[in-house]
Every structure is written in structure tokens, then in C-alpha cells.
Amino acid sequence: MTLPTTLSTKDWLKGNLKGDYHIWGVVLFLSVMSVAVVYSATGTIAYQKMLSTEHYLFKHGSLVVLGLVFMWFAHRVNYTVYSRLSKFGMWLSVPLLLWAFIKGASLNDASRWITIPLINQTFQPSDLAKLALISNLAAMLAKRQHIRRDQYEPRLLTNMIVWIGIICALIVLTNASTALLLGATCFLLMFIGRVPMKYLVMMVAVCVFFGSFALIFGQRFSTVMGRLERFGSNDKIDYQVEQAYVALANGGLTGQGPGNSHQRNFLPHPYSDFIFAMIVEEYGLIGGVIIVGAYLYLLWRGMRAIRKSNRAFGGLLSAGLTFSIVIQAMINMAVSVGLVPVTGLPLPLLSMGGTSLLFTGTAIGIILSVSRGEVDESKI
């Protein structure tokens, strides 16, 4: 009689966690840091709302775990499936973005959110639009990687540019910074995809034209102009940026220690927009450098799909999603140190959020799916 063999932890991980283990490690590290920092950063708001200090801990912790679950499911799916789902996602995002602009839930003078019935949870359609557009753009570019530049069909490239312009313009109506980030990501993706320069210029022109009208008639024109004016002025400074500077100064080299932040009592949104300032205050310059290094390492591992693979769609898809996450992270951290104007963009994987954590988890799951190995892309 043979006794059943016990499955070791290493064997279980190999059987259930596929893809690049370095990416898994970075995501798990940032997730643990997120729970710790958000718990500290929400102490003041919990007190003001007369809630238990564990309220936001359990709420955010549950969303972090759910985001990891989304990532796990996404990484188990053959990534070529996303090329087909992306078309439906783009068409769906158009009415959702319009609905968010007209009837969406409002916060900070912007209606970016749609309330999901029954569960009373909100989500930003821009998260869906960003994921769908990058995936579809990668698929369209992949089909043209073996065509000479003089054989490009103008209609197909124009179709790509029009979609980018429409989606970005609809996002600008309520969120200019997210639209700018998405436009920059699409530009980089088209550049990597060997799109001729004249079409890259055309894309920029279309985005500027549509985006300008959307910004003027949208909800954020005065906010954007005010932030740009204060950023370029030597006399004016945003209150939140001033408080972020104090947090950075308090942090020093080694920080005040976990849970010992003082600026969480004064800094607006220390758990989302300015969470990097919180990290530096509690963990010091060393902690801040480690966080920056984690995102750069994630960028390098995500870009390996292009360098080490002949799969056009997989490489472009991984690059586009990685660009989107890491560029947003760098912009968020640049805001805290005063290098760019205030944007309102959260720090991916670290800031407290709702469904944005789920979409970020899904995006990283797709990157992991690409890193799993060679697949047949002929049906894209």
C-alpha cells in the first residue's frame, strides 16, 4: 500500500502561479506595502468619520486580495483571447464614458464614476477603456509587423488613430491626466510597432484637436488651467504639494517609522494621490528609492517580452500594459516631489482604490499570461 504523496509548497506554486516569478514577487511586495501604508494613512479620516481604524484596513485589504484573484484568473487565460475581447471592450467603453460624464457619480467636481447596481460599488469606465484600447491597438499593430512600410494601408492606420482620438477625448471630459497618460502610452506603442512617423504626427494632431474641444466643454478645464498656472508660478503653490514637501522633509534618510506619519493629518488624500509622500515620511529616502526601484524592475521584466520573444502581439501587449502602469506610477511620484503639476492619478498597486485595483490586477495578469510561453497567434 502506497501512501499519498504530500504536495510541497514549491510544487503547488509551480502548478498554480505561472509566468514570470519576478513580476509575481514585485506585485506581492507592493501589495503588502499598500496594506501597511494605507492602514497608516487612513487613521485620520477614520477618526473624522467616527469609524474603527480597522475599517479601511479590512476594506482595502479585501480589494487588494480581490485584485490578486483577478490577476490570477487573467494570467491563466491564453492572452490571445484578449485581442477579441478588446474590441467589445472599446465599443462598450464609449457609452459608459458618456454616461459617466452626463449621469455619473460626482467627486471633487468630476463625474468619473458609474455606480454598479445591487452592490452599490462605483467604477471608472476609463479603466476599462484604457485596458481595451491598449489591447486592441497591440492586436492591430501585431497584424502589420510583417508588412513593409510602403505597403501600409492608410485606412487601417487611420482607423487606429481615430479610435485613440475618440477614447482619449471622451476621457478628457472628466479626467485630463488619465487621457494624457493613455495617449502617451499609445504613442509609444505605435512607435515600437514601427508605424511611420507621419502617422505618429497625425495621431498627436488628432488627439490634441479632439482633446482640446473635450477639455473646453468638459468638467476639468478650470481645474487643469489652475494647476498649470500654480505649477508655473513662483508665488503660488498647491496646498497638497506644500504638505507633501513637509512629509518628504520629515522622512529624512530612514523615515519616522511605520505608522508614525504626522502629515497624514494635513495632507489631502494621503492614502491615494499623495501616498508616495506618506511612504517617504514613514520609510525615508531609502523606502522611496526601493519603491521607485520596484516599478523600474517591473518595467524591465514587462519589456523582456519584446526582447526575448518573436510573438508580435504578446510583446506589444505586454509593453503597452507595462508602460501604462509604470508611467502612471512615475507621474504620481513626480507630483509628490514637485516635478510635474498635480494630476490626481493614484499610485498603481499602492494607493487605496476600488475597482481600479481590479483592473490593474487584470492588466498585470495579462502581462503574466504573455510571459508564460509561446502560443499560436495566427488567430488574432
Side-chain angles (χ1 to χ4, degrees):
M1 179 178 178
T2 59
L3 295 175
T5 58
T6 302
L7 188 65
S8 67
T9 302
K10 184 177 181 180
D11 292 335
W12 185 89
L13 290 174
K14 285 185 177 180
N16 290 274
L17 303 184
K18 304 291 186 179
D20 192 332
Y21 287 103
H22 296 263
I23 295 178
W24 279 105
V26 171
V27 172
L28 292 176
F29 165 71
L30 292 175
S31 297
V32 172
M33 279 292 300
S34 175
V35 173
V37 178
V38 168
Y39 179 49
S40 174
T42 52
T44 300
I45 189 175
Y47 175 79
Q48 292 172 346
K49 294 186 176 182
M50 293 183 290
L51 297 171
S52 167
T53 54
E54 283 75 31
H55 172 80
Y56 289 106
L57 172 65
F58 290 123
K59 180 180 179 180
H60 178 67
S62 300
L63 286 168
V64 168
V65 172
L66 192 57
L68 292 174
V69 171
F70 271 59
M71 184 173 69
W72 185 84
F73 277 108
H75 104 288
R76 301 288 294 189
V77 177
N78 186 322
Y79 68 84
T80 58
V81 173
Y82 298 111
S83 67
R84 296 184 289 273
L85 292 177
S86 64
K87 298 177 183 179
F88 173 74
M90 283 202 313
W91 283 104
L92 178 62
S93 64
V94 171
L96 289 179
L97 287 168
L98 288 172
W99 181 260
F101 172 62
I102 299 171
K103 294 288 186 178
S106 181
L107 180 65
N108 296 331
D109 300 322
S111 54
R112 304 170 184 169
W113 294 265
I114 292 178
T115 302
I116 303 174
L118 300 179
I119 63 174
N120 197 32
Q121 178 66 50
T122 59
F123 87 102
Q124 293 190 53
S126 58
D127 290 326
L128 171 63
K130 181 167 58 175
L131 186 60
L133 180 60
I134 292 174
S135 300
N136 192 256
L137 180 59
M140 288 191 289
L141 290 172
K143 295 177 181 178
R144 297 161 180 82
Q145 290 309 295
H146 303 291
I147 302 176
R148 295 199 313 270
R149 291 194 174 191
D150 58 352
Q151 294 179 327
Y152 272 103
E153 296 183 39
R155 179 184 60 83
L156 298 176
L157 287 173
T158 303
N159 184 45
M160 280 193 277
I161 294 171
V162 169
W163 266 113
I164 294 171
I166 291 174
I167 296 295
C168 288
L170 290 175
I171 296 176
V172 167
L173 291 171
T174 59
N175 193 340
S177 53
T178 297
L180 183 61
L181 169 65
L182 180 57
T185 302
C186 291
F187 181 90
L188 287 173
L189 201 55
M190 293 176 71
F191 179 79
I192 293 174
R194 299 186 300 116
V195 172
M197 184 57 66
K198 64 179 180 180
Y199 291 103
L200 294 176
V201 174
M202 184 187 302
M203 181 214 132
V204 173
V206 168
C207 287
V208 170
F209 180 77
F210 288 159
S212 298
F213 276 97
L215 182 62
I216 293 172
F217 295 103
Q219 301 171 346
R220 305 297 286 173
F221 180 75
S222 59
T223 300
V224 171
M225 293 298 104
R227 287 175 174 174
L228 291 174
E229 179 184 355
R230 289 189 293 273
F231 179 75
S233 172
N234 294 324
D235 301 323
K236 298 179 181 179
I237 184 173
D238 280 293
Y239 172 77
Q240 56 263 51
V241 175
E242 184 179 20
Q243 298 305 314
Y245 288 165
V246 176
L248 296 173
N250 288 342
L253 182 63
T254 59
Q256 302 288 323
N260 293 325
S261 168
H262 300 292
Q263 286 307 106
R264 64 186 173 192
N265 301 314
F266 309 101
L267 187 62
H269 310 296
Y271 42 81
S272 57
D273 298 0
F274 287 88
I275 196 168
F276 183 70
M278 279 283 302
I279 292 172
V280 174
E281 183 178 21
E282 294 193 352
Y283 298 91
L285 177 63
I286 295 175
V289 170
I290 291 174
I291 295 299
V292 173
Y295 282 108
L296 292 177
Y297 191 64
L298 178 63
L299 174 64
W300 177 59
R301 300 303 297 190
M303 291 298 293
R304 288 176 77 249
I306 288 182
R307 185 170 58 88
K308 299 190 68 174
S309 173
N310 294 321
R311 299 162 292 159
F313 175 59
L316 290 167
L317 180 61
S318 178
L321 295 177
T322 304
F323 280 145
S324 176
I325 294 170
V326 176
I327 292 175
Q328 179 175 331
M330 294 302 162
I331 291 175
N332 174 280
M333 292 184 284
V335 169
S336 293
V337 298
L339 293 178
V340 297
V342 175
T343 61
L345 291 172
L347 188 56
L349 298 171
L350 278 171
S351 293
M352 184 176 74
T355 52
S356 61
L357 285 171
L358 308 185
F359 281 101
T360 302
T362 301
I364 296 177
I366 296 173
I367 296 171
L368 286 167
S369 178
V370 174
S371 70
R372 288 176 58 183
E374 299 290 339
V375 299
D376 181 15
E377 293 190 356
S378 60
K379 296 182 180 181
I380 295 177

